[in-house]
Amino acid sequence: MAGRITYLGRWLRDAWGIFVRELIMLGKDSGVLLIFLFAGLVYPVLYNWIYGYGVVDEMPVAVVDNSAGSYSRRYIREVDATREVAIAYDCVSMDEARALMERGEVHGIIFIPSDFDTRLALMEQGTISTYSDMSTFLYYKNMTVATNKVMLDEVHKIQAERYAAAGYTGQDAVQLIEPVRYDEFVQYNPAISFTMFFVYMAMMMILQQVMFYGSSTLAGTMREEGRSFVRRLRGRGMGRIVIGRGLAYFLIFMVLGVYGTLLVPVLFHLPIHCRWWEMLVLLAFYVADIIFFSFTWSSAIAKRETVLVLLLFVTPIAVFLTGFTWPVSSMPYIWRVVSYVFPSTFGCRAYMILGMAGSLEAIAPQIQALAIQTAVYFVLASVAGRAESLIYRRLAK
Amino acid sequence: MKRISNIIRRELYLWSKRPIYLLGSVGVMLASAIFFLSFFGKGLPEDIPIGVVDRDCSSTSRNFIQQLDATQLGKVIRFGSIPEARRELETGKISAYVVIPERFDEDVQSFRCPRMGVYVNAMNPVIGGALAYKDVLTMVNLTNGAVQRQVLRAKGVNEREIMARIQPVVVDAHNIGNAPTNYAYYLCNMILSGLLAMSIMLVVSYALASELKFGTSRQLLALGGDDIGLTVLAKLVPYTVLFTMLGVSLELVMFGPLHYPMRGSVLNMILAVLLMVLAYEAVSVFVVSMVPTLRLSVCISALYSILGFSFAGFTLPVSSLPPALQGLSAIYPLRSYYQFYVQEAVFGTGFRGWWLQAVMLLVFQLVPLVGLRRLGDAYKYQNYPIN
């Protein structure tokens, strides 16, 4: 048996050699290291930090109270007491308030007409006008939440007064005012904070994009210099090259993944309800998927710098395709189909669900999708490599 | 003049020879515009899935469900049990669910004030959660109103008084700059401008640094008469024209046929685009002069420009960033461009509103002066690693 190597032994030895070689090349390339280390290590911290608070508190608002009665004063006082809004200016006219809004000193105006208190005293309907600065969604949200919640509360108080005047008091009035009650449970993100949904999405997206741009840059360099990995291939055996290279990245990205999805979020107190090994299971599937995804698409990259110049714009597109803000049910059909191309579509959703629901069972459909994607991209990456080597050989002839 | 036109002609020749320049600018912007301008559809989600667990199955609860389903925002999905609905909520298939308790109908009729449970997932996705929440609460309040109206009608109260009793205070909301609360209006202009900024950074850094990589910088410098300032200026002329045209066509499409709200004048927005293009070119020149290596300058441009989306403050306002990071927003021309846009398009204040932003954008023109000499040396001696 001495000197003879079985097929499996050969296979393993080749794969091992390619694995080591890929790691060495990664270590030598400053551009790739910059992408891996800066984007892979610094971005998770930066994004957690930037969106660490994620809500707008006590947004300044101007008030124009032409009624100046007890009802209007109570309304203003209660709006001021909300978390969302703070009454910063008490203006005498709409012109003054508008000037403040244009200067960006307030982001909303509450206008109370002069007949507000009179109408309420006459048991009629009073109207309050609000003007919100729509330059950012959060300004609008704060204004709407604050003015409407106080309005509902005010409505109940005034109703109680009116029913009392009509002879309904105590329990009778309460039953009439709110015949149906509700208990609200705004789960997982009670303050509707920006942090929660954005950061979960960003952590997984960073992994995919870093992997794609990093490995494509390296593949582009190799091709540019005529040292593409497929040139190492004699005869058959694309599988061992793809697996061998993949293992090198798997090693790096499992580390980056644990760092970005477990360590950094825990440091920044992002809720992660699952057990750590469940996250590792998700990461293993996701990392395998993004590796073969990157191998497949990087086949088209012939030069090292082109990938960033031509394809960086895909990042924001992939971000929106995950459906983290805009509901998947409202996406145009064609874009829903396109979203299946990216591992991040399933990965980001799975990470978010795992963080909230805390069990692998809940992300079974995403894991399944990731597994299918991995298999498809593995085959595509091998086929692409095979095609490339055929082209090379033809060129060589 | 002769030298400038020679350099411009050389640049145009390069564009025709290497497709990366036009693909990286026109191709990228075209693809992004098609994506983002079509992605948000009508701009306001419709038929958001809302779960209902009906444990009463009476005519009152059915009526409630039908009305919830009939709202423009919501679409009802029925569940047999709470755990089932909860699982769907966790996985983001539904944005909220309502539990109608047993004996709901009986309790309403006899004024025993039954309690509904409203469970919202305010995360996956956030817009869906917020809107579904709003939809359910509106329906519950309307139900209360309906019950009150029935009682008051039976007592012989007239309709006007009934309305005044059911809802004594009304909020009449005016949304300045985006009356229909269209989500695309918030995002598209800024995201596309951010992508334009990204494309400028990448293509211009590539153009400047590739001269070094391909060893053609000396030839270029000779065309410019060994004057690095003139050379860079002339080289950037075609890029300025190209990117301004791209930016202006985006504005014209959005404010023209797509009817994005514009309180002021589109002409001023064109000025803003031009200033932003110039500012980003200046930043690229600075990056390349500090790191005159193609691979690194393109990487740095990419890492820098992707953060611009966060620091411009059009999603999370800059005032809500950690104080230590708020100042960083000043190094992004996109931030000034956003403030310019708010003044012009949302408030329509004109020059008195945005002059400061225009000055801020112009200040970026001073940035390349810092490293111009260094860039000149790099072009002349080519004394940096090529790769």
Side-chain angles (χ1 to χ4, degrees), chain A residues 29-31 34-35 38-39 43 46-47 49-51 53-56 75 101-102 116 120 123-140 147-149 151-152 154-155 158-159 162-163 166 168 175-189 192 194 196-197 200 221 224-225 304-306 308-310 312-313 315-317 320-321 323-327 329-332 335 349 352-353 356-357 359 361-362, chain B residues 20 23-24 28 31-32 34-36 38-40 43-46 49 86-87 89-91 104 108 111 113-127 133 137 140-141 143-144 147-148 151-152 155 160 163-176 178 181 183 186-187 191 195 198 202-203 206 213 294-296 298-300 302-303 306-307 310-311 313-317 320-322 324-325 338 342-343 347 349 352 387:
Chain A
D29 192 309
S30 62
L34 184 72
I35 297 181
F38 191 82
Y43 273 17
L46 206 55
Y47 275 114
W49 193 21
I50 291 177
Y51 295 106
Y53 197 50
V55 287
V56 178
Y75 184 83
M101 185 132 114
E102 283 172 2
F116 183 71
L120 287 184
M123 300 223 181
E124 289 173 6
Q125 214 171 25
T127 308
I128 289 171
S129 297
T130 62
Y131 299 82
S132 19
D133 173 356
M134 301 291 279
S135 57
T136 290
F137 179 72
L138 289 180
Y139 292 156
Y140 163 69
T147 52
N148 280 303
K149 284 217 158 153
M151 181 265 283
L152 279 181
E154 208 46 23
V155 160
I158 296 170
Q159 276 179 336
R162 291 189 181 172
Y163 280 118
Y168 296 92
Q175 284 166 347
L176 258 182
I177 291 165
E178 262 194 300
V180 177
R181 310 229 171 120
Y182 54 89
D183 295 313
E184 42 180 32
F185 304 93
V186 180
Q187 287 166 315
Y188 312 119
N189 188 2
I192 311 194
F194 213 88
M196 306 285 283
F197 64 96
Y200 282 113
T221 315
E224 201 174 311
E225 297 168 0
R304 69 167 292 142
E305 290 82 11
T306 44
L308 280 175
V309 177
L310 293 183
L312 190 61
F313 80 101
T315 306
I317 290 181
F320 277 91
L321 284 177
F324 82 112
T325 57
W326 190 251
S329 58
S330 300
M331 274 182 206
W335 297 127
R349 220 171 284 164
M352 210 179 262
I353 296 168
M356 297 183 308
S359 77
E361 192 196 339
Chain B
I20 186 168
L23 276 180
V28 162
S32 321
I34 291 173
F35 177 79
F36 281 105
S38 67
F39 182 70
F40 297 104
L44 201 65
E46 281 174 14
R86 186 182 162 80
R87 180 40 46 89
L89 185 78
E90 280 166 350
T91 54
F104 177 72
V108 172
F111 289 102
C113 303
R115 300 185 89 90
M116 284 191 201
V118 180
Y119 298 79
V120 182
N121 181 349
M123 197 145 107
N124 189 15
V126 70
I127 300 292
Y133 182 38
L137 292 199
V140 175
N141 284 310
T143 310
N144 279 335
V147 175
Q148 284 185 52
V151 174
L152 292 171
K155 301 270 177 198
R160 218 178 82 124
M163 268 326 281
R165 279 215 197 149
I166 294 175
Q167 189 154 33
V169 179
V170 198
V171 169
D172 162 35
H174 302 258
N175 303 326
I176 295 173
N178 188 355
T181 57
Y183 203 61
Y186 284 114
L187 286 179
I191 287 197
L195 280 161
M198 189 191 261
L202 293 169
V203 171
Y206 180 84
K213 177 170 174 177
L294 180 58
R295 64 164 67 170
L296 286 180
V298 167
C299 267
I300 290 172
L303 293 170
I306 203 93
L307 282 173
S310 299
F311 280 112
F314 62 95
T315 46
L316 186 67
S320 292
L321 298 184
L325 291 178
Y338 168 63
V342 169
Q343 289 299 330
F347 297 126
T349 51
R352 79 185 156 86
N387 253 321

Side-chain angles (χ1 to χ4, degrees), chain B residues 238-254:
Chain B
Y239 293 95
T240 313
V241 173
L242 176 70
F243 284 115
T244 310
M245 269 166 50
L246 282 174
V248 168
S249 13
L250 281 177
E251 306 279 304
L252 290 182
V253 169
M254 279 186 286

Side-chain angles (χ1 to χ4, degrees), chain A residues 69-362:
Chain A
S70 60
Y71 284 117
S72 68
R73 271 205 305 280
R74 188 170 71 188
Y75 184 83
I76 293 166
R77 209 165 50 231
E78 285 176 4
V79 169
D80 193 22
T82 56
R83 177 186 70 75
E84 284 87 5
V85 157
I87 306 292
Y89 292 91
D90 200 346
C91 301
V92 288
S93 70
M94 274 305 279
D95 285 337
E96 191 189 348
R98 193 158 65 198
L100 284 171
M101 185 132 114
E102 283 172 2
R103 283 210 304 275
E105 300 200 11
V106 298
H107 299 295
I109 301 171
I110 297 173
F111 174 75
I112 301 182
S114 55
D115 63 350
F116 183 71
D117 277 83
T118 322
R119 292 181 71 105
L120 287 184
L122 290 172
M123 300 223 181
E124 289 173 6
Q125 214 171 25
T127 308
I128 289 171
S129 297
T130 62
Y131 299 82
S132 19
D133 173 356
M134 301 291 279
S135 57
T136 290
F137 179 72
L138 289 180
Y139 292 156
Y140 163 69
K141 193 209 90 192
N142 270 23
M143 189 71 180
T144 313
V145 169
T147 52
N148 280 303
K149 284 217 158 153
V150 175
M151 181 265 283
L152 279 181
D153 184 56
E154 208 46 23
V155 160
H156 289 160
K157 279 185 195 151
I158 296 170
Q159 276 179 336
E161 289 168 22
R162 291 189 181 172
Y163 280 118
Y168 296 92
T169 50
Q171 191 62 19
D172 278 350
V174 172
Q175 284 166 347
L176 258 182
I177 291 165
E178 262 194 300
V180 177
R181 310 229 171 120
Y182 54 89
D183 295 313
E184 42 180 32
F185 304 93
V186 180
Q187 287 166 315
Y188 312 119
N189 188 2
I192 311 194
S193 138
F194 213 88
T195 318
M196 306 285 283
F197 64 96
F198 185 84
V199 172
Y200 282 113
M201 183 282 300
M203 293 303 109
M204 290 304 249
M205 188 56 77
I206 288 170
L207 281 182
Q208 175 188 298
Q209 298 309 97
V210 165
M211 171 67 210
F212 177 65
Y213 296 125
S215 70
S216 307
T217 303
L218 194 66
T221 315
M222 299 288 116
R223 294 209 179 97
E224 201 174 311
E225 297 168 0
R227 308 187 271 138
S228 174
F229 60 91
V230 297
R231 295 221 157 172
R232 275 171 262 151
L233 184 75
R234 279 181 205 87
R236 293 188 303 166
M238 186 49 73
R240 67 195 76 170
I241 293 193
V242 174
I243 296 272
R245 287 180 69 215
L247 265 180
Y249 292 99
F250 195 79
L251 194 71
I252 298 172
F253 276 82
M254 281 308 277
V255 176
L256 284 181
V258 169
Y259 171 82
T261 60
L262 281 172
L263 186 67
V264 177
V266 166
L267 287 180
F268 281 89
H269 305 293
L270 197 70
I272 304 273
H273 292 143
C274 65
R275 280 155 290 184
W276 61 269
W277 60 266
E278 287 176 318
M279 191 61 84
L280 286 188
V281 172
L282 170 63
L283 270 180
F285 276 95
Y286 184 63
V287 169
D289 194 3
I290 59 175
I291 287 170
F292 296 132
F293 163 81
S294 306
F295 284 179
T296 303
W297 293 104
S298 69
S299 315
I301 308 291
K303 290 227 163 68
R304 69 167 292 142
E305 290 82 11
T306 44
V307 61
L308 280 175
V309 177
L310 293 183
L311 290 177
L312 190 61
F313 80 101
V314 175
T315 306
I317 290 181
V319 163
F320 277 91
L321 284 177
T322 61
F324 82 112
T325 57
W326 190 251
V328 177
S329 58
S330 300
M331 274 182 206
Y333 182 72
I334 168 115
W335 297 127
R336 227 179 299 171
V337 174
V338 172
S339 76
Y340 297 147
V341 170
F342 296 99
S344 55
T345 305
F346 307 104
C348 293
R349 220 171 284 164
Y351 180 46
M352 210 179 262
I353 296 168
L354 196 57
M356 297 183 308
S359 77
L360 274 181
E361 192 196 339

